[in-house]
Amino acid sequence: MNTGKSYAQYLDQQDELKHFRNEFYVSDETIYFDGNSLGLLSKRAEQAVAELMDSWKRYAIDGWTEGHHPWFYLSEKLGDQLAPLVGARPEEVIVTGSTTTNLHQLVASFYRPNGRKTKILADELNFPSDIYALKSQLKLKGYDSSKHLIQVPSNDGNTLKTSDIIANMTDDVALIVLPGVLYRSGQILDMKTLTKEAHKRNILIGFDLCHSIGSIPHHLSDWDVDFAFWCTYKHLNGGPGSVAGLYVNKRHFGHEPGLAGWFSSAKEKQFDMEHHLTPAADAGAYQIGTPHLLSITPLIGALELFQEAGITRIREKSLRLTNYLMELIEAELSSYGFFIANPREAAMRGAHVFIEHQEAARICKALKAAGVIPDFRTPNGIRLAPVPLYNMFAEVWQTVQILKSIMDKGDYKQFENKRGVIA
Ligand SMILES: *Cc1c(COP(=O)(O)O)cnc(C)c1O
């Protein structure tokens, strides 16, 4: 392991994606390793929002069909642009709602308890919002979630075993909802195998791709996944509260969505204003109401950058960044009580490094005070996400040096070991 600064600089010189950093507003004073919570603003996203404001100013109501990006078709158009990132056909993807409302929509559409099959299978490590949504969907159908929501346990508190998940795919399970990449440990679940095993047992399966979209390639259509949903403000850099996305396998087209609204309509029928819904023939049917145009627009610019860089190259650089980070942590920080808690194999880890330390909360505060933005995950986790489109190997090197100095000097001791409001 070469721990020298010049090696980091060499890696940056060799980096094919290095020019993308100029596309973003990156501060020179900080090292931003939190792009998996909120991606940075790109100049193109900013430009797209300026164009939207201009269309509103100039065209008013006609902005729906005129201007730079006619609003009426934007959710579909952005769905087409997102499709390659999830490995789907363009008509299987739509940009709409939020992660949690899309999960509600998809469970309302695909959870059809029948006979013995009444249960929903999830896991005990998923993000709380997903679990709350599943419990409330069970309640709406008249089921007691303490009996009908099964959560696959984790042996180590950080990861899940494919075999444990499969062992829980029992006869009474109607639907499975799991993350593609776990938000804490960054573990990638084997979506292909899990889908195959679920289908063998006549169970529908969907994935939450919040931490996998924009960070790893997917092949949802080939894997035959039934549905998926994700946010766009993390790896996709869509901005705070940007509009989310969903995927529905084309096998399921032609049904009314569980939660309907006039934007579920076939576009040519929508303004007939009939009280009988003719749903769109594709994933567009899973929209509900008027798209949140002010928060969908940044994606026009943000997704262009993904098209130009390509997810294969993004993933390749991401693995090199995180690998370099883990090697430096091991070489430089082994005596300070840090434990790398994400899976080590490339095929099993997403785009962030997850380290555990008893003093994690205040080490994060000390890092922030020293200009490195990590994020803390209770009770003792530090997530560090070097983002391929805008972070550099030199920043990874610098971060490890800063961390070492914080530990050597005990700088973290001046902070309380407690999380902030937004951790
Ligand atoms: C970020 C995240 C969410 C957030 O849901 P919102 O509806 O966008 O607030 C949900 N699930 C997972 C797994 C996440 O990582």
Side-chain angles (χ1 to χ4, degrees):
M1 168 80 207
N2 186 338
T3 57
K5 184 174 189 176
S6 56
Y7 183 59
Q9 290 165 336
Y10 165 78
L11 293 174
D12 281 323
Q13 277 158 16
Q14 304 295 310
D15 174 17
E16 285 188 347
L17 301 182
K18 60 174 178 264
H19 57 284
F20 282 98
R21 184 173 166 92
N22 293 326
E23 296 278 352
F24 289 85
Y25 288 98
V26 187
S27 156
D28 289 332
E29 272 98 69
T30 55
I31 295 176
Y32 193 75
F33 278 177
D34 205 7
N36 58 343
S37 279
L38 180 70
L40 292 181
L41 173 64
S42 63
K43 293 168 190 170
R44 299 213 213 167
E46 180 183 52
Q47 172 71 21
V49 175
E51 287 169 0
L52 172 84
M53 298 312 268
D54 187 60
S55 296
W56 181 15
K57 201 185 286 174
R58 282 194 213 215
Y59 300 103
I61 188 71
D62 288 337
W64 285 101
T65 50
E66 309 284 323
H68 296 286
H69 309 286
W71 309 330
F72 194 53
Y73 306 101
L74 196 51
S75 307
E76 285 75 11
K77 190 177 147 196
L78 289 170
D80 294 354
Q81 264 171 269
L82 264 178
L85 292 182
V86 293
R89 300 167 188 93
E91 66 274 20
E92 290 175 319
V93 180
I94 190 82
V95 174
T96 186
S98 72
T99 314
T100 313
T101 61
N102 288 344
L103 173 56
H104 274 292
Q105 168 68 295
L106 292 161
V107 176
S109 305
F110 291 103
Y111 173 49
R112 291 179 291 245
N114 182 14
R116 258 177 70 69
K117 281 195 172 309
T118 56
K119 293 184 178 167
I120 298 181
L121 179 62
D123 68 281
E124 68 169 16
L125 299 178
N126 205 345
F127 197 82
S129 201
D130 297 44
I131 301 300
Y132 302 160
L134 294 175
K135 286 183 178 172
S136 63
Q137 286 291 331
L138 283 164
K139 206 162 144 195
L140 280 169
K141 291 258 176 15
Y143 292 108
D144 175 355
S145 63
S146 70
K147 299 203 180 73
H148 289 264
L149 179 66
I150 311 298
Q151 292 183 261
V152 179
S154 161
N155 293 329
D156 59 2
N158 284 325
T159 57
L160 298 168
K161 281 207 176 112
T162 307
S163 56
D164 288 343
I165 301 173
I166 295 170
N168 277 282
M169 295 181 183
T170 45
D171 286 353
D172 47 2
V173 174
L175 182 76
I176 303 173
V177 177
L178 293 167
V181 165
L182 274 60
Y183 79 101
R184 295 178 91 255
S185 69
Q187 180 192 5
I188 300 178
L189 293 189
D190 182 350
M191 294 179 253
K192 181 181 179 183
T193 301
L194 292 169
T195 303
K196 203 168 99 201
E197 295 297 324
H199 288 172
K200 269 192 207 163
R201 294 162 178 80
N202 203 16
I203 306 171
L204 296 181
I205 185 163
F207 292 96
D208 180 332
L209 307 183
C210 279
H211 280 275
S212 60
I213 188 136
S215 68
I216 64 170
H218 303 76
H219 306 282
L220 297 185
S221 297
D222 285 350
W223 298 336
D224 208 24
V225 169
D226 293 291
F227 62 87
F229 54 99
W230 54 84
C231 66
T232 59
Y233 49 79
K234 292 173 181 161
H235 290 282
L236 294 181
N237 314 313
S242 56
V243 178
L246 64 80
Y247 151 90
V248 172
N249 189 305
K250 81 177 198 331
R251 238 171 345 107
H252 299 299
F253 286 179
H255 296 286
E256 269 203 34
L259 307 174
W262 73 316
F263 269 79
S264 319
S265 298
K267 289 215 117 39
E268 67 286 4
K269 290 287 291 174
Q270 185 170 344
F271 278 86
D272 289 351
M273 299 304 211
E274 290 170 0
H275 280 189
H276 173 80
L277 169 66
T278 306
D282 53 23
Y286 295 83
Q287 297 173 89
I288 302 176
T290 305
H292 299 172
L293 283 151
L294 293 173
S295 12
I296 208 173
T297 309
L299 282 171
I300 298 168
L303 293 181
E304 268 179 30
L305 298 172
F306 280 85
Q307 259 167 351
E308 289 171 21
I311 191 65
T312 310
R313 287 199 298 168
I314 289 173
R315 172 64 170 161
E316 194 265 334
K317 178 173 171 190
S318 166
L319 283 172
R320 289 198 300 127
L321 281 165
T322 48
N323 207 41
Y324 181 53
L325 175 56
M326 290 190 292
E327 285 181 358
L328 281 177
I329 290 171
E330 274 172 349
E332 306 270 37
L333 298 171
S334 58
S335 58
Y336 299 94
F338 289 102
F339 171 67
I340 297 177
N342 53 272
R344 297 305 292 259
E345 311 91 287
M348 281 189 70
R349 63 187 172 85
H352 65 259
V353 169
F354 185 61
I355 48 183
E356 290 181 328
H357 193 286
Q358 301 225 312
E359 309 281 356
R362 51 181 174 171
I363 292 172
C364 280
K365 287 178 194 171
L367 275 172
K368 228 166 167 168
V372 178
I373 319 295
D375 74 7
F376 170 69
R377 281 294 173 264
T378 196
N380 59 356
I382 303 172
R383 291 194 312 193
L384 294 171
V387 175
L389 284 179
Y390 50 78
N391 285 127
M392 303 191 301
F393 290 89
E395 292 177 300
V396 170
W397 183 86
Q398 190 70 35
T399 295
V400 174
Q401 299 307 308
I402 291 172
L403 202 46
K404 194 171 170 189
S405 149
I406 287 171
M407 301 314 290
D408 277 338
K409 296 198 197 129
D411 287 350
Y412 62 92
K413 289 181 188 148
Q414 53 185 295
F415 300 94
E416 232 191 322
N417 198 31
K418 242 180 89 187
R419 71 166 168 83
V421 176
I422 307 282

